[in-house]
Every structure is written in structure tokens, then in C-alpha cells.
Amino acid sequence: MAVTINTLRDCKTRGEKFTCLTAYDATFAHLISQAGVEVMLVGDSLGMVLQGNDSTLPVTVQDMAYHTRAVARGNRGALVMADLPFMSYGTPDAAMDSSAQLMRAGAHMVKLEGSSWMADTVEMLSTRGVPVCAHLGLTPQFVNKFGGYKVQGKDDSAADQMVADARELVEAGADIILLECVPSALGQRITESVPAPVIGIGAGAATDGQVLVMHDMLGATPGKPPRFVKDFLAETGTIQGALEAFVDAVKKGTFPAQEHTFKA
Ligand SMILES: Nc1nc(=O)c2c([nH]1)NC[C@@H]1CN(c3ccc(C(=O)N[C@@H](CCC(=O)O)C(=O)O)cc3)CN21
Ligand SMILES: CC(C)C(=O)C(=O)O
Ligand SMILES: [Mg+2]
């Protein structure tokens, strides 16, 4: 049975963890969805992972539509979420046009980076039939404003603001919240503060779902990986084994462990 946003809401209600991995092509989309991963993210991380850029900023809507079409063809029942790339949703009109291109390419929902000032855009998309995931915390499209990839929401006022932002975005119609690189306690607080499912990456073990970049969890990314990454290929020896081990570990609650999470 195909995964929908209702499936993820049911997971949250029942306290069952769900999984998400990035997918950029049909072959891996097939493997990932067959492994029982509920959500496939066509991430703008493809600008770094596939294109070799040092940030996600060069990625275009055209790039995203191309990879979304490939993923949609390979998909066997997962929910396909596509990132709106940098500056493709700067105004509500732009957001609607960009989202239309990604939904036509086969996405079931879009993801955008931004806090409460995105609420009007979220509402416009939501009321016009585009489910939205709001990405908070370390939002990589803001790397030049952050001055690097740094843990967010560390002090009390930043944490309180993020809780308020998450609530406001869900009230505006966001169906999912994605939290990247925040202290585990804040990940837990936001997960308990909103009725929508919360997906975490470096946001602790309490979020409803966990996401990783597939290349990272296969140990394929050059250099020192971020703290939240675990290489599942090392312990299984096959790609399919690694995908299944990730699903298993998230459902059992053994991933992420303390060593993969941030303290305040
Ligand atoms: N391959 C890949 N994996 C990702 O997870 C990823 C991408 N690419 N590209 C887009 C963004 C960039 N991301 C990043 C990149 C670096 C860190 C990082 O170095 N984090 C430090 C934390 C630093 C601090 O303590 O403030 C770490 O040690 O994990 C985190 C997220 C996540 N996304
Ligand atoms: C790291 C995840 C959450 C993402 O946005 C991406 O892969 O682009
Ligand atoms: Mg992204």
C-alpha cells in the first residue's frame, strides 16, 4: 500500500518510528522503497552529493524536476518529497510555480526551508493541494547567513522561537516538520508540541521519523561525516542489507544513539 501523509500521522499517533532517505535516481528509489523506507526525499543535497558543489545553492528547479521524475519512476509505494531549491520560493507566486513543476514531475509533497515568515506561503500551497514539509534548524540554504553548518537552537531564546515557528507553520498547513541539527531536548520538545509528524536529522531520538542522506549511510561520502551519520553498509556488506538495517534500527529505537546526537 502506498504511503501517504495519513500513514505518517498514524505512525505518530501510535508511537511507531518511520524512516526517510534521500533518493536522486530510479535505481536507488526502487531499492529504498522496496526496503520499506516510508519517505524518499529528493533533496537539494544532490547539488553537493551528485553535482560536487560546496553548498546546495546552485541547484535549480529544473535539476530538482529531472531527479524527481527519475525517483518517481523507480518508486514502489514510498511518499516522494522534493526540496524547493534556493530562491525558488522567495515569493508565494514563485513558490506556487516551482511547486507545480515538482508536483508535475511526480512529487507527492514539497519541502521548504524557513520559519514563521514562510507561513503565508505554506498556507497558499496547502490550500491549493500541495502538502508541505517545513524544514527548521540547520537550513543549509542559509549557510552563508549562518557562516557554516552549525547546530541551531542551542540557547533558550532560539529554542523557544523554533518551537513557536513549528507551531505556527503547522497551523498554517504544514503537514510535516523536518528538524536538522538541533539539541535532542529541543527535538523532543518540538515533536511533543505539534500534531504533525516530525522528521529529524541530528535532532535526537525522540522525533517521529529519521532521515539521512543515502550516500552518507552507505559510507560513500568523502571526508569526515557529520556526527549524526552512521555507516550501515560497514556492518551489513550489501546495499540492500544496509537499507534494511537502517529501517530496523530506527523502528527499534537503536538509531540514533547518543553518539549521533547533539546536547545543548
Ligand atoms: N552528504 C550530505 N549529507 C548531509 O547531511 C547534507 C549534505 N550532504 N548537504 C546539505 C546538508 C549539509 N549538511 C550538514 C553539513 C555539515 C554538518 C556538520 O559538519 N555538522 C557538525 C556540527 C557542527 C557544530 O557542532 O555546530 C557535526 O559535527 O556534525 C551538518 C550538516 C546536511 N546536509
Ligand atoms: C539533509 C536533508 C534533510 C535535505 O534537506 C537534503 O537532503 O537536501
Ligand atoms: Mg535539502
Side-chain angles (χ1 to χ4, degrees):
M1 255 247 305
V3 175
T4 68
I5 53 171
N6 303 320
T7 316
L8 306 180
R9 267 187 228 122
D10 291 345
C11 281
K12 180 164 185 135
T13 306
R14 296 195 195 112
E16 294 168 10
K17 302 290 182 188
F18 64 89
T19 56
C20 174
L21 285 173
T22 59
Y24 314 124
D25 67 52
T27 300
F28 282 112
H30 190 266
L31 282 175
I32 289 168
S33 54
Q34 292 283 51
V37 170
E38 282 86 357
V39 184
M40 287 195 291
L41 172 63
V42 187
D44 60 350
S45 53
L46 68 84
M48 297 168 77
V49 176
L50 300 188
Q51 298 175 340
N53 298 298
D54 64 2
S55 77
T56 60
L57 273 62
V59 178
T60 65
V61 175
Q62 235 181 328
D63 292 337
M64 294 306 302
Y66 173 90
H67 290 282
T68 300
R69 277 192 292 273
V71 167
R73 290 184 199 115
N75 182 28
R76 298 293 180 271
L79 181 79
V80 177
M81 176 156 82
D83 266 338
L84 286 167
F86 179 66
M87 215 45 95
S88 71
Y89 53 103
T91 65
D93 279 351
M96 286 189 283
D97 179 64
S98 302
S99 300
Q101 294 187 60
L102 299 185
M103 298 296 279
R104 284 183 201 118
H108 301 119
M109 69 187 298
V110 301
K111 178 162 78 62
L112 49 77
E113 298 181 9
S115 35
S116 54
W117 44 266
M118 283 301 306
D120 57 342
T121 298
V122 169
E123 185 175 4
M124 284 218 207
L125 290 170
S126 180
T127 53
R128 286 158 182 76
V130 180
V132 177
C133 173
H135 182 161
L136 296 172
L138 197 182
T139 44
Q141 291 172 18
F142 292 71
V143 62
N144 295 298
K145 287 290 278 184
F146 291 154
Y149 298 106
K150 294 181 182 142
V151 176
Q152 300 295 311
K154 282 166 90 167
D155 59 63
D156 286 351
S157 70
D160 290 349
Q161 186 61 56
M162 213 182 291
V163 173
D165 288 342
R167 284 208 178 107
E168 193 173 334
L169 288 161
V170 170
E171 272 159 30
D175 292 288
I176 302 181
I177 297 289
L178 188 145
L179 285 182
E180 177 166 349
C181 290
V182 299
S184 335
L186 179 55
Q188 175 167 2
R189 211 178 133 199
I190 293 175
T191 304
E192 289 168 355
S193 299
V194 294
V198 176
I199 307 180
I201 175 166
T207 57
D208 305 299
Q210 294 290 332
V211 59
L212 284 176
V213 168
M214 183 200 72
H215 296 62
D216 295 348
M217 56 78 73
L218 295 178
T221 308
K224 184 178 174 284
R227 184 174 169 85
F228 51 78
V229 171
K230 178 178 173 182
D231 178 353
F232 286 90
L233 185 63
E235 63 185 35
T236 54
T238 67
I239 290 168
Q240 269 157 306
L243 298 174
E244 284 162 17
F246 169 69
V247 171
D248 217 54
V250 171
K251 301 235 182 244
K252 284 200 182 111
T254 57
F255 179 81
Q258 287 293 338
E259 65 199 278
H260 306 117
T261 65
F262 299 105
K263 290 198 238 330

